[in-house]
Amino acid sequence: MSDASLAALGWSDYFATQLEPGELEATPPARLCDVHRDRVQALTPDGEITLTLPGDMQAGDLAVGDWVLFDPSEHRITRLLERRSILRRRAAGTVLMHQLIAANVDTLMIVTSCNADFNPARLERYLTLAASSDTKPLIVLTKADLVDNAADYVRQAEALSPHVSAITLDARNTAALGRLLPWLQPGATAALVGSSGVGKSTILNGLTGEASETQGNRKGDDKGRHTTTARSLRPTLSGAWLIDTPGMRSLGMSDSGDGIDRVFSDLTELATQCKFSDCAHKSEPGCAIQAAIKAGDVDADRFRRWEKLLAEDRYNSETPSEARARKRGFTKKVRSSVQGKHGRQGR
């Protein structure tokens, strides 16, 4: 197995340095392209294979794009290699758990359209997802032909973070898809994320030469139908790899503080200039953020979205003991308020 053939699948020195002497020959690497409940599909220089999971591993521990080592005699995974990047979101439910989206991704292509789907709050969540995993973000704006001034959408998108680029394209035009090639060099990996119906499957078809099902918007609104139901790693015509993902109705934040700070780096820096270190950015004297809002230098809606993401991340990142302490503090505050009210009434 040559390094050159592995490199075509996205292999790099980052993964090679994790191997022990002789491990490459005894348990060769493979890259996961589909994850099922009790098995996975993986890519090797010799083609696609099916691998089973060891007893101490579950499907939820693995993500499309992962690199694993396997026993060629049993076609069983022996080890999961450390990831260079991991995209994950908070799973639904009251218990703090994470759902893996994709691994070892270079560029997160956030697909939205120039219509009602364009939502700054949702885009900021995707940008935080990228920043939290050290993945380069690219906002891809589709359906530009439906609006008079698509450049305005590009301006709005790039204003969301100093670390993001945005481009418009017609997903149905194969030539226009060439604008994505700088992010799709041989061996590179990109992941497509975004709402249903914005053109992710159409982009996938054009970049891979496949013909997966696509559907238009529903009558009466700009919401699309689901066409992708599972994550998968597919080769592009340029030699890169593309992970398509189902449309996500929610993208919960947890353990994303660093990512939020990077996306909102202007507000994070401004907060350090407040007079008080514990400034709540409400009505405190010397609040640099409120002063910037009044001066028109900071958008008030962007500030409120920043606060909401920070609060959600703190809440979802709590340990069980922290959650109990917060609830006790809230109960104590309520009791104190009630007692104070009764004391005033008894005067």
Side-chain angles (χ1 to χ4, degrees):
M1 183 179 296
S2 69
D3 289 343
S5 57
L6 282 173
L9 296 176
W11 184 261
S12 67
D13 289 342
Y14 180 87
F15 305 106
T17 56
Q18 299 180 43
L19 303 182
E20 301 294 335
E23 198 170 24
L24 181 67
E25 293 73 22
T27 52
R31 194 172 191 197
L32 305 191
C33 58
D34 290 284
V35 177
H36 306 287
R37 182 166 299 178
D38 57 350
R39 58 184 170 80
V40 297
Q41 298 298 118
L43 301 173
T44 73
D46 298 322
E48 184 173 329
I49 59 174
T50 300
L51 298 176
T52 58
L53 280 57
D56 60 349
M57 183 179 291
Q58 298 180 348
D61 300 326
L62 300 171
V64 169
D66 268 330
W67 279 98
V68 299
L69 304 181
F70 70 97
D71 182 340
S73 63
E74 299 181 359
H75 276 209
R76 178 177 51 83
I77 294 175
T78 60
R79 184 155 75 93
L80 168 66
L81 295 185
E82 181 181 331
R83 298 153 173 145
R84 189 174 50 77
S85 65
I86 181 67
L87 300 172
R88 63 181 188 175
R89 64 172 174 172
R90 188 187 191 280
T94 57
V95 179
L96 178 56
M97 296 181 63
H98 291 101
Q99 180 185 35
L100 303 184
I101 300 172
N104 301 312
V105 172
D106 299 299
T107 302
L108 186 68
M109 294 185 174
I110 306 164
V111 186
T112 186
S113 50
C114 298
N115 56 17
D117 182 76
F118 187 90
N119 184 311
R122 183 169 62 244
L123 290 175
E124 285 165 345
R125 287 177 178 268
Y126 282 121
L127 292 174
T128 297
L129 174 67
S132 298
S133 62
D134 290 324
T135 302
K136 292 181 294 186
L138 173 68
I139 295 180
V140 181
L141 295 158
T142 61
K143 305 183 182 180
D145 57 308
L146 301 180
V147 296
D148 295 331
N149 188 4
D152 183 56
Y153 282 88
V154 173
R155 180 190 58 78
Q156 292 182 61
E158 292 186 336
L160 296 176
S161 172
H163 308 288
V164 67
S165 298
I167 62 171
T168 59
L169 57 79
D170 183 348
R172 301 163 298 180
N173 187 326
T174 304
L177 292 177
R179 301 191 63 193
L180 297 174
L181 292 183
W183 294 273
L184 295 172
Q185 296 300 306
T189 301
L192 289 168
V193 295
S195 304
S196 300
V198 295
K200 297 194 306 296
S201 294
T202 303
I203 292 174
L204 176 75
N205 292 347
L207 293 175
T208 63
E210 296 180 0
S212 61
E213 181 183 2
T214 61
Q215 298 184 32
N217 289 348
R218 299 180 306 200
K219 291 183 178 180
D221 60 28
D222 288 318
K223 298 178 180 179
R225 301 180 177 91
H226 291 277
T227 55
T228 300
T229 57
R231 299 172 184 86
S232 58
L233 178 71
R234 297 292 179 261
T236 69
L237 299 175
S238 67
W241 295 90
L242 198 59
I243 299 176
D244 192 17
T245 66
M248 290 183 278
R249 293 185 177 88
S250 63
L251 187 61
M253 297 287 103
S254 68
D255 298 322
S256 302
D258 289 344
I260 296 172
D261 286 348
R262 291 177 62 182
V263 172
F264 295 88
S265 58
D266 54 333
L267 296 180
T268 303
E269 173 61 28
L270 198 57
T272 65
Q273 301 174 27
C274 291
K275 182 177 180 180
F276 301 106
S277 60
D278 60 348
C279 182
H281 315 305
K282 302 298 183 186
S283 57
E284 295 86 349
C287 176
I289 288 182
Q290 286 299 328
I293 291 174
K294 291 178 181 178
D297 297 328
V298 168
D299 179 67
D301 288 338
R302 175 174 165 79
F303 165 66
R304 284 190 286 269
R305 295 196 300 268
W306 175 57
E307 282 197 311
K308 182 178 179 179
L309 284 181
L310 286 174
E312 178 182 331
D313 184 67
R314 284 194 298 268
Y315 180 83
N316 288 339
S317 303
E318 286 181 333
T319 63
S321 60
E322 289 172 337
R324 287 193 295 270
R326 175 178 53 80
K327 291 176 181 177
R328 284 197 299 270
F330 177 76
T331 301
K332 184 177 180 181
K333 183 178 180 180
V334 171
R335 287 175 178 171
S336 177
S337 176
V338 171
Q339 290 171 356
K341 181 179 180 180
H342 288 169
R344 290 190 298 270
Q345 290 176 345
R347 291 178 183 175

